[in-house]
């Protein structure tokens, strides 16, 4: 058994984290969200104790942080203040029966593919990123 095999990947934390954020529409402290998401997926105390190679952060918290990053890129979550996470109005609407989240859950492979790639966030930035205006790609840059 490899180390951290018992810890879900970040994409497995995405939907449980979104459900937790929906329970706290006024926002939740990140540290409380970490524990709630770990509880939702049944992480053992041993899994919670595993840390990154740097030794600075538990692996499960790192992965939940990445899950939150993907939700922010999709416009489903925000960080109004340092250490506080909040669901967006768009996400609350999408979580209603028949909403976009429910449709994504039915087609999980599309949801996970979009979350993993962070699809959509580049389109919202229009022109920023991959060779967009103001981006230097090496030789010939001012």
């Amino acid at each position: 058994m490899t180390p951290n095999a018992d810890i879900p990947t970040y994409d497995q934390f995405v939907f449980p984290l979104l459900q937790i954020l929906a329970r706290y529409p006024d926002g939740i402290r990140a540290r409380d969200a970490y524990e709630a998401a770990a509880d939702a997926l049944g992480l053992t105390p041993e899994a919670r104790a595993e840390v990154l190679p740097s030794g600075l952060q538990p692996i499960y918290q790192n992965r939940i942080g990445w899950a939150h990053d993907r939700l922010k890129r999709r416009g489903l979550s925000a960080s109004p203040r340092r250490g506080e996470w909040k669901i967006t109005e768009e996400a609350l609407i999408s979580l209603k029966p028949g909403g976009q989240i429910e449709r994504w859950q039915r087609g999980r492979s599309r949801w996970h593919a979009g979350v993993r790639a962070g699809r959509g966030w580049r389109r919202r930035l229009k022109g920023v990123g991959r060779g967009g205006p103001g981006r230097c790609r090496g030789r010939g840059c001012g």
Side-chain angles (χ1 to χ4, degrees), residues 42-124:
L43 259 66
T44 63
E46 295 80 22
R48 292 178 196 222
E50 290 188 47
V51 294
L52 294 171
S54 66
L56 298 176
Q57 184 183 33
I59 293 170
Y60 81 97
Q61 288 183 3
N62 178 271
R63 291 182 180 174
I64 293 169
W66 279 108
H68 183 248
D69 175 71
R70 294 306 191 247
L71 289 171
K72 287 194 308 186
R73 289 179 182 207
R74 286 242 179 199
L76 301 174
S77 178
S79 295
R81 286 181 289 288
R82 181 177 170 85
E84 184 180 327
W85 296 349
K86 184 177 179 182
I87 194 165
T88 62
E89 288 298 318
E90 177 184 343
L92 287 172
I93 292 167
S94 296
L95 278 169
K96 290 182 180 177
Q100 189 175 13
I101 303 292
E102 185 178 295
R103 289 193 304 271
W104 283 337
Q105 282 303 97
R106 280 191 231 128
R108 284 181 73 82
S109 60
R110 277 189 309 154
W111 163 257
H112 287 299
V115 167
R116 282 192 177 156
R119 292 193 181 130
W121 68 276
R122 285 191 193 275
R123 277 181 257 144
R124 284 195 298 274

